């Protein structure tokens, strides 16, 4: 059988998935398969419809993200990111609402959130992120939709719903969460720029060669959002921040993101309501590097 186009390849993959090797399961089932002397990755999202983890529910509530919508605009996202020559992007092949195909890329994965130093990873990552942050967008959301006009209102609404359901006891940490949320309602956050960010950015979204970062392999969490969100988490994951900043500022000055970092750490920690240690780290440290 000869595949004449990528749409046919997607149909072929979905029809023959039972014969493919499953190599990973997280937010997606990930399969590897060969066709016509070429290797591909098939990703089947599990977080669809109402079957959402706390993180993906947050993504839906704040960024109006769903895999079903993101997948239909994945080609648009790839077309933007692939022009970033500082770090390669896994080649996109095809997608529909419930499946994605990428070309297979050789490399070594990294299991920790923190990036290894490599030869010059900090500076390279700074250039990569700085490049992605060049273009300012009026709204937040998914590329091609961008319908989130008031990011902060979405944040407050999501946080309030989550706190009312999961952080409502008399424990000291729950009370701290409610007090901090009250302080958020009494202030207002306005980003210096909405641009392309990976909400859950960390080293395990990339491939490495001899600990040198080479390829971004996970496009799932890319949205248009406040650059301060992505910078806040990168600050906890990159040791040589001065080199990162130098790379970043080859494109534009870095915003004063750190004064807002706790808010973003707080939002992510709200998702860990079954184990509230991460939230303890947000407020009290406890070795949690996100509190730096």
């Amino acid at each position: 059988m000869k595949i004449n186009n990528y749409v046919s390849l997607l149909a072929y993959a979905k029809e023959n998935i039972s014969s493919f090797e499953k190599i990973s399961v997280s937010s997606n089932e990930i399969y590897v398969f060969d066709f016509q002397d070429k290797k591909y990755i098939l990703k089947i999202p599990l977080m669809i419809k109402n079957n959402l983890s706390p993180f993906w529910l947050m993504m839906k509530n704040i960024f109006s993200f769903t895999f079903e919508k993101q997948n239909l605009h994945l080609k648009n996202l790839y077309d933007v990111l692939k022009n970033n020559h500082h770090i390669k992007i896994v080649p996109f092949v095809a997608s529909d609402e419930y499946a994605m195909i990428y070309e297979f890329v050789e490399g070594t994965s990294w299991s920790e959130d923190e990036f290894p130093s490599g030869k010059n990873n900090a500076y390279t990552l700074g250039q990569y992120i700085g490049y992605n942050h060049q273009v300012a967008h009026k709204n937040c959301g998914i590329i091609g939709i961008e319908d989130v006009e008031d990011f902060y209102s979405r944040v407050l609404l999501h946080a309030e719903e989550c706190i009312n359901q999961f952080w409502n006891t008399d424990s000291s940490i729950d009370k701290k969460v409610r007090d901090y949320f009250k302080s958020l309602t009494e202030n207002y956050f306005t980003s210096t720029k909405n641009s392309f960010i990976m909400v859950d950015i960390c080293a395990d979204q990339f491939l490495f060669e001899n600990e040198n970062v080479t390829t971004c392999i996970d496009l799932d969490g890319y949205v248009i959002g406040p650059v301060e969100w992505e910078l806040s988490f990168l600050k906890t994951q990159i040791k040589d921040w001065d080199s990162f900043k130098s790379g970043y500022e080859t494109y534009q000055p870095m915003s004063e993101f750190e004064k807002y970092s706790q808010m973003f750490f707080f939002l992510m920690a709200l998702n860990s309501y079954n184990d509230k240690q991460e939230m303890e780290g947000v407020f009290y440290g406890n070795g949690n590097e996100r509190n730096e």
Side-chain angles (χ1 to χ4, degrees):
M1 177 182 178
K2 182 175 177 59
I3 298 297
N4 295 317
N5 56 61
Y6 288 149
V7 174
S8 298
L9 179 59
L10 183 60
Y12 166 82
K14 292 171 74 174
E15 290 170 4
N16 293 274
I17 190 171
S18 61
S19 66
F20 298 162
E21 178 188 1
K22 185 188 294 186
I23 60 174
S24 179
V25 178
S26 54
S27 297
N28 302 276
E29 291 182 337
I30 302 178
Y31 300 84
V32 61
F33 69 100
D34 295 293
F35 191 84
Q36 295 180 353
D37 300 320
K38 198 163 187 176
K39 186 174 288 190
Y40 298 95
I41 293 292
L42 171 66
K43 298 177 71 173
I44 304 295
L46 300 176
M47 302 294 157
I48 59 175
K49 298 181 180 178
N50 293 322
N51 181 40
L52 302 178
S53 68
F55 172 80
W56 294 110
L57 179 61
M58 178 195 74
M59 290 285 282
K60 181 178 181 180
N61 288 344
I62 295 178
F63 294 102
S64 195
F65 175 103
T66 67
F67 275 98
E68 295 92 323
K69 289 193 293 185
Q70 176 87 321
N71 283 7
L72 294 180
H73 294 273
L74 204 51
K75 176 66 162 57
N76 305 93
L77 174 62
Y78 173 72
D79 285 343
V80 173
L81 295 175
K82 73 178 182 181
N83 294 321
N84 190 330
H85 62 277
H86 298 294
I87 295 175
K88 292 184 294 185
I89 303 297
V90 59
F92 169 81
V93 176
S95 65
D96 63 15
E97 286 183 291
Y98 303 114
M100 301 158 269
I101 294 181
Y102 299 93
E103 292 182 15
F104 181 87
V105 177
E106 295 286 351
T108 302
S109 59
W110 197 257
S111 60
E112 300 176 15
D113 287 352
E114 295 76 16
F115 288 86
S117 297
K119 284 185 178 179
N120 208 14
N121 283 347
Y123 187 79
T124 300
L125 284 160
Q127 289 184 304
Y128 173 76
I129 300 299
Y131 181 97
N132 289 343
H133 288 183
Q134 285 182 101
V135 178
H137 294 251
K138 179 181 178 182
N139 295 334
C140 298
I142 297 172
I143 185 172
I145 301 178
E146 300 177 42
D147 56 352
V148 177
E149 297 181 359
D150 190 341
F151 168 82
Y152 199 60
S153 292
R154 291 280 197 114
V155 164
L156 295 180
L157 183 59
H158 167 75
E160 183 175 30
E161 291 177 353
C162 189
I163 291 167
N164 287 341
Q165 187 171 1
F166 300 112
W167 301 84
N168 54 17
T169 74
D170 290 331
S171 70
S172 60
I173 189 61
D174 283 17
K175 289 179 179 178
K176 184 71 173 176
V177 163
R178 295 194 295 273
D179 287 344
Y180 181 71
F181 174 74
K182 185 174 185 294
S183 75
L184 293 181
T185 65
E186 295 169 349
N187 294 283
Y188 196 82
F189 165 78
T190 301
S191 176
T192 58
K193 184 186 290 185
N194 295 318
S195 199
F196 286 104
I197 66 168
M198 188 192 296
V199 173
D200 56 347
I201 193 164
C202 59
D204 71 2
Q205 317 285 28
F206 295 80
L207 290 180
F208 299 81
E209 182 179 351
N210 298 324
E211 296 193 4
N212 300 319
V213 62
T214 60
T215 310
C216 176
I217 57 170
D218 193 342
L219 309 188
D220 294 352
Y222 266 108
V223 294
I224 296 167
V227 297
E228 292 85 355
W229 186 311
E230 190 171 45
L231 291 171
S232 292
F233 286 97
L234 284 165
K235 181 66 163 61
T236 72
Q237 299 162 354
I238 295 173
K239 293 179 181 178
D240 188 354
W241 190 251
D242 288 341
S243 291
F244 177 90
K245 186 176 181 181
S246 294
Y248 186 93
E249 293 191 339
T250 60
Y251 288 100
Q252 68 265 303
M254 185 175 288
S255 70
E256 296 182 7
F257 68 93
E258 289 179 281
K259 59 185 177 181
Y260 302 116
S261 293
Q262 188 176 48
M263 180 181 75
F264 299 116
F265 299 157
F266 172 78
L267 282 173
M268 289 289 271
L270 283 177
N271 299 323
S272 300
Y273 48 77
N274 288 323
D275 181 0
K276 298 184 177 181
Q277 187 174 9
E278 184 175 343
M279 189 64 81
E280 295 274 357
V282 170
F283 292 122
Y284 307 119
N286 291 350
N288 190 326
E289 293 186 5
R290 289 183 175 179
N291 197 45
E292 291 182 351

